[in-house]
Amino acid sequence: MNEELVSRIKSEINKYNSIINDLREKYNRMQKEGASVAELNKVAREAQTLFNKCGELKKDLADYTNKYNIYANEAGKKVLKDKDANDKKLKDAHDSFIALQISLLFKYNLNAEVSETQDEEIEVVSHTKPKHKLFFKFLAGGLALTTILGLGYGLSACHNKDANNSNNISIIQNEDETREPDDEPVINETTKPDITEEIEVPEIESTVPAIEETNPVNENYQILNDFAFLTENSSLYDSGTEDKTEVEKIEKYQKVLRLSTDGNYDFVQTEDMKYGYIESSKLEVLPELYVEVDLSDQTVDLYKDNDIILTTLCVTGKDSTPTRIGYFPIKYKTYDTYLKGPGYNSHVYYWMPFDGGIGLHDAAWRDEFGGDIHFNNGSHGCVNMPHDAAKTIYENVSTGTKVLVHN
């Protein structure tokens, strides 16, 4: 994996984050000063462009790490069980990864002189000891084998954990909108504007009130920036007052990003980019280190200090033996063992049970992870992962580390 390429993409994301935050502050300042709709929309459109670029950057990085994940998985099988390894699959995975790497190196104006026969350095662990001690290490901010690399996973394409997320911007439109030659919208400013869905943030006209206006005097009001999950089924409201309207229902164990609180209600951002208020008593703050299993996306994430340091595809339980949703502690962890049950006796290197006999582990017998595999070829309830992803999680967690499983 090319460190310079990964660093360049992360640097671009950080640059856009900084500009977006500046635009957010500019937008709020202009709004308070009574700027026209056209002036506000000009700032909002500029922010929209940057959000779109962040999405493209995230996709490039996700594609790159997923290709590397597939290649590393095949390389791992080659070392762990040489006779059964599929050389063609390994070559195809290698060639596909290198082709994408060359393409991205050119795209980001980096040195793309990579030989077709060049081998990416991968650390692969054998049954007894490492046969290859090669490239596999963390970059600053947490680069791991299958990581999406510190993108503020799940809640925003370009989340900046130091940003004040209470300040949001949207493009204002009206049914009677016409276009001037400079392509700026013209709006009857005496008419209450509608808000588009182009930037998925709270509406300006108090459908989701600005944080400053919602808690003007409350001395318990606090700005936050941490993750939490729902301890029971709840509602997302448009305000934290008695006169409030339900925005949507949220299921137990869903994760949210807490932005502020007054002690009674937390202002949050949901995983589907909705904003609103949830009763504080129905939320539990997640610890600095935890594992998240998303059954819908078939992914496993490792979080540390509110930053994602690893993301990997996985395979969870099939319909007859599903993986339970919940919030569990890892009971213990064991290296190099066998999992036994009705009709199976499977060897794994990294075993981390968290729900009875259900746990996180590597699965060398699988060629692919993610997607819809779990519907027809799911596990007996365990969370199957590629070898190197399981290794990274194993090396970071300990007895008692929490595992959040949700849909």
Side-chain angles (χ1 to χ4, degrees):
M1 185 171 282
N2 189 295
E3 295 184 43
E4 187 179 6
L5 173 60
V6 170
S7 295
R8 171 65 61 83
I9 298 176
K10 287 190 68 178
S11 176
E12 290 292 301
I13 291 171
N14 289 335
K15 179 182 73 175
Y16 289 134
N17 271 335
S18 178
I19 300 174
I20 289 169
N21 287 335
D22 290 343
L23 289 173
R24 183 182 290 113
E25 292 176 1
K26 179 179 179 181
Y27 185 95
N28 279 331
R29 185 175 65 254
M30 289 172 60
Q31 187 183 22
K32 291 177 181 178
E33 293 173 352
S36 69
V37 172
E39 291 173 325
L40 291 173
N41 281 352
K42 184 176 181 180
V43 177
R45 293 184 196 283
E46 186 176 351
Q48 176 69 64
T49 300
L50 297 183
F51 273 113
N52 293 341
K53 288 182 178 179
C54 274
E56 182 181 346
L57 288 163
K58 182 178 180 180
K59 183 179 184 303
D60 283 347
L61 203 49
D63 290 345
Y64 184 54
T65 52
N66 283 337
K67 287 284 188 184
Y68 184 69
N69 181 34
I70 294 170
Y71 169 42
N73 189 48
E74 292 300 325
K77 282 193 257 184
K78 180 69 177 176
V79 172
L80 297 173
K81 48 178 185 178
D82 294 338
K83 293 182 179 179
D84 299 328
N86 188 323
D87 290 331
K88 185 178 185 305
K89 275 192 173 183
L90 176 58
K91 183 179 185 303
D92 289 346
H94 170 268
D95 292 347
S96 178
F97 168 69
I98 292 299
L100 178 61
Q101 177 170 277
I102 293 174
S103 173
L104 292 177
L105 288 170
F106 274 116
K107 180 176 181 179
Y108 292 98
N109 297 317
L110 298 173
N111 182 9
E113 296 179 0
V114 181
S115 168
E116 292 184 359
T117 60
Q118 174 185 342
D119 285 328
E120 284 293 315
E121 297 177 311
I122 305 171
E123 177 184 302
V124 183
V125 181
S126 71
H127 185 75
T128 55
K129 62 180 181 179
K131 291 185 179 180
H132 294 16
K133 186 67 174 177
L134 302 173
F135 172 69
F136 183 75
K137 61 184 179 179
F138 288 105
L139 296 176
L143 167 61
L145 171 65
T146 51
T147 177
I148 301 300
L149 302 160
L151 296 185
Y153 171 78
L155 297 175
S156 174
C158 296
H159 169 61
N160 181 343
K161 71 175 187 174
D162 295 323
N164 181 344
N165 291 280
S166 64
N167 302 323
N168 299 280
I169 56 182
S170 299
I171 298 172
I172 306 172
Q173 293 185 345
N174 183 276
E175 293 180 356
D176 298 326
E177 176 177 337
T178 58
R179 297 289 179 183
E180 293 292 332
D182 63 356
D183 201 36
E184 287 294 340
V186 177
I187 301 173
N188 179 358
E189 296 184 53
T190 63
T191 303
K192 182 179 179 180
D194 296 326
I195 310 302
T196 72
E197 296 298 323
E198 290 185 6
I199 302 180
E200 299 179 84
V201 292
E203 298 183 358
I204 296 173
E205 295 295 328
S206 75
T207 299
V208 180
I211 295 177
E212 297 96 340
E213 298 172 4
T214 305
N215 301 280
V217 190
N218 192 334
E219 62 182 9
N220 295 321
Y221 170 65
Q222 294 179 327
I223 295 292
L224 305 171
N225 192 45
D226 55 29
F227 292 109
F229 70 93
L230 277 75
T231 56
E232 56 184 282
N233 293 339
S234 185
S235 297
L236 184 72
Y237 298 105
D238 64 351
S239 74
T241 64
E242 291 185 4
D243 183 20
K244 57 184 179 293
T245 302
E246 182 181 273
V247 177
E248 66 177 6
K249 297 284 189 183
I250 303 183
E251 295 182 356
K252 185 178 181 179
Y253 299 118
Q254 288 301 303
K255 192 176 73 169
V256 298
L257 175 64
R258 298 199 310 158
L259 302 176
S260 72
T261 184
D262 64 2
N264 296 315
Y265 285 88
D266 289 2
F267 183 67
V268 305
Q269 179 188 1
T270 66
E271 289 192 291
D272 59 354
M273 293 296 292
K274 297 288 180 59
Y275 289 79
Y277 294 81
I278 296 178
E279 295 175 60
S280 302
S281 61
K282 295 183 178 180
L283 292 172
E284 181 172 337
V285 178
L286 285 157
E288 292 184 353
L289 175 68
Y290 66 94
V291 179
E292 179 185 2
V293 180
D294 189 320
L295 301 178
S296 299
D297 290 345
Q298 290 290 285
T299 56
V300 177
D301 302 319
L302 177 63
Y303 279 84
K304 191 171 185 179
D305 299 326
N306 280 342
D307 286 329
I308 187 169
I309 64 173
L310 177 140
T311 291
T312 183
L313 298 175
C314 69
V315 177
T316 58
K318 53 184 178 288
D319 288 342
S320 58
T321 55
T323 306
R324 284 203 309 154
I325 64 171
Y327 188 54
F328 312 94
I330 291 178
K331 295 183 176 180
Y332 60 88
K333 61 180 188 178
T334 299
Y335 174 77
D336 193 3
T337 188
Y338 284 85
L339 307 180
K340 301 179 182 180
Y344 68 91
N345 183 9
S346 304
H347 175 262
V348 299
Y349 285 101
Y350 306 105
W351 170 235
M352 296 157 278
F354 59 83
D355 180 19
I358 304 302
L360 306 157
H361 64 79
D362 54 308
W365 55 89
R366 291 193 180 275
D367 294 326
E368 297 179 298
F369 297 86
D372 297 332
I373 296 172
H374 61 297
F375 290 130
N376 299 316
N377 188 25
S379 71
H380 294 87
C382 286
V383 180
N384 295 182
M385 297 177 288
H387 176 93
D388 292 283
K391 177 179 183 290
T392 299
I393 292 176
Y394 185 90
E395 290 175 342
N396 280 274
V397 303
S398 57
T399 299
T401 297
K402 296 293 188 178
V403 180
L404 176 65
V405 184
H406 64 80
N407 288 312

